[in-house]
Amino acid sequence: QVRLVESGGGLVQAGGSLTLSCTASGSIFRINTMGWYRQASEKQRELVAAITSGGTTNYADSVKGRFTISRDNAKKMAYLRMNSLKPEDTAVYYCNALGVTGWGRNFDSWGQGTQVTVSS
């Protein structure tokens, strides 16, 4: 079983910054892609940013130029640096990881989520 734990959420004023962290643990052979998703109240979960093991990144248009995703493969961690935060960035942010377990099975795991609230 692969477990993901997020941290770093909180309350910040508009224009401020936060950095989210995600740590993966368990029987992991390889993590291919790590991503951050968010779900605002009464809205569907959406992709915010993703990064492959080789460092290729993908961002939602709404966060391009403001958010930066990165990862540390050795530590099995991913980060999301969020700058110039806006009230519309308020949501629960979830970490996701796709990869292969130590038993050779594919996994698609989610963290429990961390709340980010941006006040105007």
Side-chain angles (χ1 to χ4, degrees):
Q1 185 177 358
V2 176
R3 183 177 181 226
L4 301 179
V5 177
E6 303 103 333
S7 62
L11 173 64
V12 64
Q13 289 188 331
S17 299
L18 281 175
T19 298
L20 306 182
S21 299
C22 172
T23 303
S25 62
S27 178
I28 299 171
F29 174 70
R30 182 179 68 244
I31 301 176
N32 295 324
T33 300
M34 298 190 79
W36 289 96
Y37 290 72
R38 67 186 180 188
Q39 187 167 15
S41 179
E42 300 183 357
K43 292 189 176 181
Q44 289 189 331
R45 191 173 296 189
E46 62 176 359
L47 174 68
V48 176
I51 184 169
T52 67
S53 57
T56 300
T57 58
N58 180 41
Y59 295 93
D61 288 342
S62 59
V63 307
K64 282 180 180 177
R66 299 188 298 122
F67 291 10
T68 302
I69 188 170
S70 60
R71 64 188 281 179
D72 184 326
N73 291 329
K75 295 182 178 179
K76 298 185 179 63
M77 294 186 69
Y79 308 92
L80 185 68
R81 175 66 177 177
M82 304 183 293
N83 295 328
S84 303
L85 282 161
K86 305 175 181 179
E88 51 263 44
D89 294 318
T90 295
V92 178
Y93 284 70
Y94 297 90
C95 180
N96 172 261
L98 304 173
V100 182
T101 70
W103 293 283
R105 293 190 173 186
N106 293 332
F107 69 83
D108 180 354
S109 296
W110 293 86
Q112 81 287 351
T114 185
Q115 177 70 46
V116 172
T117 303
V118 184
S119 63
S120 56

